[in-house]
Amino acid sequence: MALVISVGLTWLVASILLGGPGGGFPRIQQLFAGPENSVTAEPRARKYKCGLPQPCPEEHLAFRVVSGAANVIGPKICLEDRMLMSSVKDNVGRGLNIALVNGVSGELIEARAFDMWAGDVNDLLKFIRPLHEGTLVFVASYDDPATKMNEETRKLFSDLGSKNVKDLAFRDSWVFVGAKGVQNKSPFEQHVKNSKHSNKYEGWPEALEMEGCIPRRTTAS
């Protein structure tokens, strides 16, 4: 009797480990499976310069511009994987955040923030009036981009390729990339009006995020 019971238990254990008749050795394989045989998570999608989902063509500059969120989270301007302006760099502020870039080399010329609520608009005018042909202009709003704007300011941005600056108003969200000497309106611009009916935050519209590839200029004077 003991022999019969022993044989029966042996058969039962073997059946469980081997997966039953015709099952081969799946259970034993699972017990001894290495990490390379285990199910793995889907690999993360690769990100390229400035977090773009795909690389830019040759002779193009990768960029990402993010406006500020209300008056809490500052804007960001990234070019070719280099952060030109951000809260971490401590060079952003209320109003318009502007980075000037050499359109040929892609090198930063200067980056400044201009307070458009309580600042002097003449500081902004002195900054953008003397731009050289081919200079790229990256703009991100934060809190209020327009209270101090006058007609000359709007015309200068319009000449850089903006089509929305003429309608820019108190606490609107605005991101824009233009250039000195462009013949047409820039394809790189987003604008959301401040409206109590559609604002994402109390008193402010949603933040804007824009990315893309800008062709390098062939010459700049």
Side-chain angles (χ1 to χ4, degrees), residues 63 65 77 79 97-101 136-140 176-178 214:
F63 78 90
V65 179
I77 299 177
L79 181 71
N97 296 268
I98 304 176
L100 305 181
V101 172
L136 299 176
V137 182
F138 295 79
V139 184
F176 167 65
V177 182
I214 303 175

Side-chain angles (χ1 to χ4, degrees), residues 13-208:
V13 171
S15 178
I16 292 172
L17 288 175
L18 297 176
F25 303 94
R27 310 248 175 139
I28 292 178
Q29 289 174 345
Q30 289 175 11
L31 289 173
F32 294 98
E36 66 276 4
N37 295 324
S38 60
V39 177
T40 57
E42 288 290 328
R44 287 188 177 183
R46 181 177 176 184
K47 293 293 186 179
Y48 296 88
K49 291 179 179 178
C50 291
L52 270 63
Q54 58 188 22
C56 289
E58 288 188 15
E59 298 305 315
H60 283 66
L61 302 170
F63 78 90
R64 181 189 296 273
V65 179
V66 184
S67 72
N71 63 346
V72 178
I73 302 174
K76 297 178 182 178
I77 299 177
C78 175
L79 181 71
E80 286 290 285
D81 243 10
R82 302 190 313 272
M83 194 62 69
L84 305 184
M85 302 189 76
S86 70
S87 296
V88 173
K89 292 183 69 69
D90 196 25
N91 63 348
V92 297
R94 176 175 65 181
L96 294 178
N97 296 268
I98 304 176
L100 305 181
V101 172
N102 185 303
V104 177
S105 67
E107 293 300 316
L108 176 66
I109 299 170
E110 191 173 359
R112 286 185 60 185
F114 298 90
D115 188 341
M116 301 303 291
W117 168 254
D120 187 347
V121 71
N122 288 307
D123 293 337
L124 173 60
L125 291 172
K126 291 174 184 176
F127 189 69
I128 59 177
R129 274 177 188 149
L131 296 183
H132 295 298
E133 196 83 4
T135 300
L136 299 176
V137 182
F138 295 79
V139 184
S141 67
Y142 184 23
D143 189 5
D144 174 28
T147 295
K148 289 286 186 173
M149 271 200 175
N150 56 23
E151 287 305 312
E152 182 181 0
T153 310
R154 295 179 191 273
K155 184 179 185 309
L156 286 171
F157 279 115
S158 180
D159 291 344
L160 294 171
S162 172
K163 58 182 177 292
N164 294 325
V165 68
K166 65 181 185 301
D167 301 317
L168 199 64
F170 174 66
R171 285 188 176 174
D172 287 359
S173 289
W174 185 45
V175 289
F176 167 65
V177 182
K180 178 71 173 180
V182 295
Q183 301 301 315
N184 303 303
K185 293 303 180 184
S186 171
F188 302 117
E189 183 174 27
Q190 293 181 18
H191 174 218
V192 176
K193 297 291 291 182
N194 169 25
S195 169
K196 64 180 180 180
H197 302 295
S198 60
N199 282 347
K200 182 173 181 178
Y201 310 104
E202 185 178 351
W204 289 270
E206 64 183 294
L208 295 173

